[in-house]
Amino acid sequence: MHDSAGSVFLADCPARLAVDIITNKWAVVVLFALSRRPRRHGELVDLVGGISRKVLTQTLRRLQSYGLIERRAYAEAPPRVEYSLTDLGQTLTGPIAALTDWATTYGAAVADFQEAAEEGQQDAPTSDS
């Protein structure tokens, strides 16, 4: 992304892969949830508010296919499966922390702007009027 202005537009640019990973609605949240310790599927469902079991499973598989998380099944009765960050996945904890800090600092300003924009749209005359 920083070697030339146009490289981020190339289909095989590593920056596009990174953007693809972090722009998934649930990926960053799941990675953040795993940043402290390994977790079971049910723990993640409870921890990540609003995610369905199906979407969590899809997200975990996707992150596993990128080499960012590891799925470990234990030979126990009943079976136990835990998910954890790989070494590669651990490298995203810094950028995710930076995004979290930004959201904490500026999230209210974004929400205020959106609210003001919505109010402005309601007050503005439509082109049909």
Side-chain angles (χ1 to χ4, degrees):
M1 201 164 159
H2 49 74
D3 58 0
S4 72
S7 65
V8 74
F9 298 109
L10 299 176
D12 61 349
C13 175
R16 283 195 44 189
L17 175 60
V19 170
D20 182 50
I21 292 169
I22 65 167
T23 57
N24 175 274
K25 180 177 181 175
W26 298 108
V28 172
V29 178
V30 171
L31 289 167
F32 184 74
L34 293 172
S35 68
R36 302 286 195 285
R37 64 179 176 83
R39 298 192 186 267
R40 297 174 73 169
H41 193 275
E43 284 181 280
L44 288 168
V45 169
D46 293 340
L47 189 60
V48 179
I51 193 168
S52 70
R53 290 183 173 275
K54 178 183 175 183
V55 170
L56 175 60
T57 298
Q58 292 169 339
T59 302
L60 290 167
R61 286 180 182 158
R62 184 169 178 257
L63 293 172
Q64 188 178 6
S65 76
Y66 287 132
L68 300 175
I69 66 166
E70 174 182 49
R71 180 185 185 273
R72 179 172 289 150
Y74 295 89
E76 299 175 350
R80 178 172 57 109
V81 176
E82 286 185 342
Y83 297 90
S84 60
L85 294 181
T86 63
D87 289 342
L88 183 59
Q90 288 285 347
T91 65
L92 284 170
T93 58
I96 289 170
L99 283 171
T100 303
D101 291 344
W102 182 89
T104 301
T105 303
Y106 299 106
V110 172
D112 290 346
F113 182 86
Q114 287 179 315
E115 186 177 309
E118 288 174 5
E119 287 174 5
Q121 287 176 354
Q122 290 174 355
D123 296 337
T126 62
S127 59
D128 295 340
S129 302

